[in-house]
């Protein structure tokens, strides 16, 4: 009943001494949870970097190396599947063991944390651009904003650091308070405030977002689903539209945001719009 490669794997698990001198088994083209655990059990663990994201959870255990834990935590945090503080704790666990790649991110974040702790506006201005660039390279901007938005909000930064700080605060949960301090609000700040200025933007994506917060009607079929007690199904359809919208489908974007608002998910609609405006370059 089993494929030959699965039989070979089970043989080594059940009778390891017989296969002790043989070379490692080839990695299967399509991994399944049982095979993943069996490879680990026979002493041939499979790296999770190129496997579906769910397998990354295995690398959060203490038996994995620090680099593997960091890489797994970044993948899961970027997907919203791990608390931001868990990633921060791993970043802060020790000093970077080398340079390049993820180690540069660890070093940049540690220096930024030290600058914040010092209370020096100059130190924060110096370290913020670098750590923001490192977080952006791993698509962790929203997590960074959630972790540090409140602390940055209290600093009087200037120049490039001030522009980055404004973006960070608009991406944080306290986006509305941050927007209230912007003297000449652009569309992102208007969305954050919940107050649109007259004049629809000419840009296609900005115009689609503007419409969703102006006069666009929600998708009637998705609203009807909710009336039928199918709220979860409706939200899943909305999220599919939002994904299409973020990838350039203006009509889908307007429908998704307008429907989220109609379903009472105003905060979700605003944060989704802000992330598309500020991050989807």
């Amino acid at each position: 009943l089993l494929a030959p490669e699965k039989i070979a794997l089970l043989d080594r698990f059940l009778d390891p001494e017989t296969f002790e001198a043989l070379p490692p088994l080839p990695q299967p083209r399509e991994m399944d949870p049982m095979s993943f655990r069996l490879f680990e059990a026979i002493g041939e663990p499979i790296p999770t970097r190129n496997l579906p994201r769910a397998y990354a959870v295995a690398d959060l255990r203490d038996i994995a190396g620090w680099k593997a834990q960091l890489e797994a935590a970044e993948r899961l945090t970027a997907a919203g599947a791990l608390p931001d503080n868990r990633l921060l704790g791993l970043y802060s666990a020790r000093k970077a063991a080398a340079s390049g790649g993820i180690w540069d991110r660890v070093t940049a974040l540690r220096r930024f944390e030290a600058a914040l702790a010092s209370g020096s506006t100059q130190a924060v201005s110096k370290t913020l651009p670098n750590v923001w660039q490192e977080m952006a390279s791993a698509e962790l901007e929203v997590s960074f904003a959630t972790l540090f938005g409140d602390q940055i909000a209290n600093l009087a930064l200037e120049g490039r650091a001030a522009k980055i700080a404004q973006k960070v605060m608009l991406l944080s949960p306290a986006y509305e308070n941050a927007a209230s301090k912007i003297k000449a609000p652009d569309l992102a700040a208007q969305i954050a405030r919940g107050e649109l200025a007259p004049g629809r933007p000419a840009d296609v994506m900005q115009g689609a977002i503007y419409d969703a917060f102006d006069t666009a009607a929600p998708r009637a079929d998705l609203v009807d689903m909710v009336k039928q007690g199918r709220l979860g199904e409706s939200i899943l359809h909305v999220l599919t539209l939002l994904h299409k919208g973020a990838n350039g489908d203006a009509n889908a974007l307007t429908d998704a945001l307008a429907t989220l608002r109609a379903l009472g998910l105003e905060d979700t609609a605003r944060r989704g719009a802000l992330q598309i405006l500020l991050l989807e370059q």
Side-chain angles (χ1 to χ4, degrees), residues 112 123-133 144 152 157 161 164-165:
F112 175 72
V124 173
S125 295
K126 184 177 180 180
T127 56
L128 178 58
N130 187 37
V131 72
W132 180 249
Q133 182 177 342
F144 180 83
I152 292 175
L157 303 176
I164 294 172

Side-chain angles (χ1 to χ4, degrees), residues 137-173:
S137 69
E139 299 185 355
L140 291 166
E141 301 101 316
V142 176
S143 295
F144 180 83
T146 301
L147 289 166
F148 298 107
D150 288 344
Q151 298 175 65
I152 292 175
N154 299 321
L155 300 175
L157 303 176
E158 297 181 355
R160 184 185 175 196
K163 293 180 180 178
I164 294 172
Q166 178 176 302
K167 183 178 287 189
V168 170
M169 290 184 288
L170 287 175
L171 290 170
S172 76

